[in-house]
Amino acid sequence: SLRRGAGSVFAAVTGVRSDLPKRRSGALHAAGGNFKYLGGVFLMLEIKNLCKRYGQTQALDHVQLSVGPGEIVGLFGENGAGKTTTIKACCGILTPDSGSIEIAGTSVAQDPIACKKSLAYIPDNPDLYEFLSGIQYLNFVADIYGVSQADRQRRIHQYAALFDLTDDLAQPVSGYSHGMKQKLAIIS
């Protein structure tokens, strides 16, 4: 659980990076990266002593978590246990009162933009621009992240086919089912 006495929702955290540095003689050598190494694994997510209060309620009480590449971690707990607070803090949506969060060795507090480029957060009800078509929305997001035309076309084709959305991309997002909107958010 995330706090003492807490003990009901599942969230997945997974990380796969092909550009991680190699370990040489006990030291890390990384161009432009500050990767953490623990027990033979580079850490994708490291949370240390994370605390957050809402008024008198202690939502997070010194949360500790380390996640390596490819690991999947479930966060379980009662309503109000701090699961969503933890995820939002990891995404830079919410500022913790104390503690630290690093995504692939980069501090969420010190460089939130770099961290946001390394992860994705998809809530139960993703907020999408419903006046756009699916393909317009995907191109909009690709523009924001600076994805080249060739790369975006390849990715859109690959993931739209994987999620069986190819035939629906020309339709307005407002006509999508809840599940289709979640799939579009994952693709984006």
Side-chain angles (χ1 to χ4, degrees):
S1 70
L2 300 177
R3 64 182 166 110
R4 291 179 197 105
S8 79
V9 163
F10 171 79
V13 179
T14 184
V16 178
R17 289 277 300 265
S18 60
D19 61 335
L20 293 176
K22 303 293 183 242
R23 184 169 190 245
R24 294 188 222 148
S25 305
L28 286 182
H29 300 275
N34 182 26
F35 298 100
K36 300 284 178 114
Y37 186 80
L38 180 67
V41 176
F42 291 102
L43 296 179
M44 296 307 298
L45 171 65
E46 184 175 33
I47 301 173
K48 290 184 184 175
N49 295 313
L50 194 64
C51 296
K52 179 67 179 175
R53 291 186 81 84
Y54 295 104
Q56 298 295 334
T57 304
Q58 183 78 40
L60 302 178
D61 188 10
H62 296 90
V63 174
Q64 305 275 0
L65 179 65
S66 297
V67 180
E71 288 185 309
I72 298 175
V73 176
L75 302 179
F76 297 90
E78 298 169 358
N79 291 341
K83 302 170 299 292
T84 301
T85 300
T86 301
I87 297 296
K88 286 184 176 182
C90 289
C91 296
I93 297 170
L94 184 96
T95 303
D97 297 333
S98 63
S100 65
I101 303 168
E102 292 185 0
I103 307 290
T106 302
S107 167
V108 172
Q110 293 176 4
D111 197 351
I113 301 299
C115 290
K116 289 175 183 178
K117 288 181 178 181
S118 297
L119 56 86
Y121 168 68
I122 302 175
D124 289 337
N125 295 304
D127 289 325
L128 307 173
Y129 294 112
E130 297 203 0
F131 60 90
L132 297 175
S133 68
I135 193 68
Q136 288 172 323
Y137 181 78
L138 293 174
N139 279 308
F140 169 72
V141 173
D143 285 342
I144 290 172
Y145 283 93
V147 178
S148 71
Q149 286 292 327
D151 196 25
R152 83 174 59 181
Q153 294 307 319
R154 180 187 59 77
R155 290 182 189 185
I156 289 170
H157 176 76
Q158 176 185 358
Y159 293 113
L162 179 69
F163 288 109
D164 197 28
L165 278 182
T166 304
D167 294 339
D168 299 298
L169 289 178
Q171 302 305 315
V173 174
S174 61
Y176 282 21
S177 69
H178 179 73
M180 291 169 69
K181 289 177 183 177
Q182 288 182 314
K183 289 176 184 180
L184 187 68
I186 291 169
I187 293 170
S188 70

